[in-house]
Amino acid sequence: MMSFAARYAYQIRKRDGISPALSTWIIFLLGTTLSLVTYAIAEKHDFRSGILNTVDVAATATVLLAIIVWGERNIRFKPFEKWYLGGSGAIVAYGLISGDALGSNLFTQLLIEVGYIPTVQKLLTEKRNTESFTAWGLIILAGLFALYPAIADGNSLAVLYTLRSIISVSGVIAIMAYYELRSKKARS
C-alpha cells in the first residue's frame, strides 16, 4: 500500500496523466480511519490480521496530502458525498450510543464502498482513463498479500475488509481498462 501511495503521489506531483478526485480521497481517509477505529475495538486491537486497514489509513493520508499539495484542489461535495459525510457521523453516533463496534465496522465497509463513486463518476463523465494502472494494481497486490493473515487468523472483519477492497478496486480497474481500450481503438 505504501508503494501505491508513493507511486500515486509521484504521478500526482509530475502530473503524469492522472487527475484523482479529491473528494474520493477525503471520503477514503474518513472511511478507513473510522473502519480502523471500529475494527480495533471489535477485534481487540488485532492489527496483524487487519494489516490492510492499518496501512490504508497511512496510504490514503499520503495520497490526500499529495493532491492537496500538487493536485487539483477544487472541492465541491456532490449531494451524495454530503450524505456520505452525514453517514459517517451517524456511524460514529451509533457506535457511541450502542457500543456495537462490529456493527459500526460493517456500516463503515458500506461507506468505504460508496467512496469509490466519485472516481467511477469521473471516469464515466470524462469518458477516458484518468487513473494509474500501476497504482491501482498495487492496491490489488496489497489486498492479495493481506488476505493471507486475515484468513489464517480466522478474522472475519479483516477478510471482509480485504475482499471488499480487492473487488472494488478490480471494478475501478475494469472501467479504466475499458476506456484505455476504447481510446486505442479510436486511434487505430
Side-chain angles (χ1 to χ4, degrees):
M1 280 307 293
M2 293 316 294
S3 295
F4 150 75
R7 170 78 177 151
Y8 209 62
Y10 173 80
Q11 288 180 295
I12 292 167
R13 183 173 184 210
K14 294 294 182 185
R15 304 196 188 282
D16 190 14
I18 66 168
S19 57
L22 178 61
S23 57
T24 288
W25 294 98
I26 291 171
I27 290 170
F28 280 163
L29 183 59
L30 289 172
T32 57
T33 302
L34 187 55
S35 176
L36 183 61
V37 169
T38 58
Y39 171 82
I41 295 167
E43 294 296 330
K44 313 267 188 287
H45 301 87
D46 178 15
F47 293 110
R48 189 180 82 114
S49 297
I51 189 67
L52 185 61
N53 196 170
T54 305
V55 295
D56 268 357
V57 173
T60 55
T62 301
V63 171
L64 181 58
L65 183 61
I67 294 169
I68 290 168
V69 172
W70 300 302
E72 294 178 28
R73 291 179 212 112
N74 59 342
I75 181 166
R76 280 178 277 131
F77 284 111
K78 295 170 180 62
F80 86 89
E81 292 167 324
K82 292 175 186 173
W83 281 102
Y84 178 92
L85 297 172
S88 296
I91 289 171
V92 170
Y94 170 79
L96 291 173
I97 293 168
S98 72
D100 181 14
L102 174 65
S104 295
N105 187 274
L106 294 175
F107 288 134
T108 301
Q109 298 312 308
L110 181 62
L111 244 55
I112 293 171
E113 188 63 30
V114 170
Y116 288 90
I117 292 175
T119 295
V120 169
Q121 182 180 17
K122 186 172 186 173
L123 289 166
L124 297 175
T125 302
E126 294 194 19
K127 296 185 181 359
R128 67 183 181 90
N129 181 22
T130 59
E131 296 292 329
S132 166
F133 281 105
T134 304
W136 286 92
L138 286 169
I139 296 174
I140 297 279
L141 190 59
L144 293 172
F145 280 119
L147 197 53
Y148 174 76
I151 291 172
D153 292 343
N155 188 319
S156 59
L157 281 181
V159 170
L160 174 68
Y161 185 92
T162 304
L163 287 176
R164 182 210 36 79
S165 177
I166 292 169
I167 292 166
S168 301
V169 172
S170 294
V172 171
I173 290 174
I175 295 168
M176 292 163 51
Y178 169 78
Y179 283 116
E180 283 292 321
L181 290 172
R182 194 173 113 173
S183 173
K184 286 180 182 176
K185 283 183 182 178
R187 283 183 268 168
S188 54

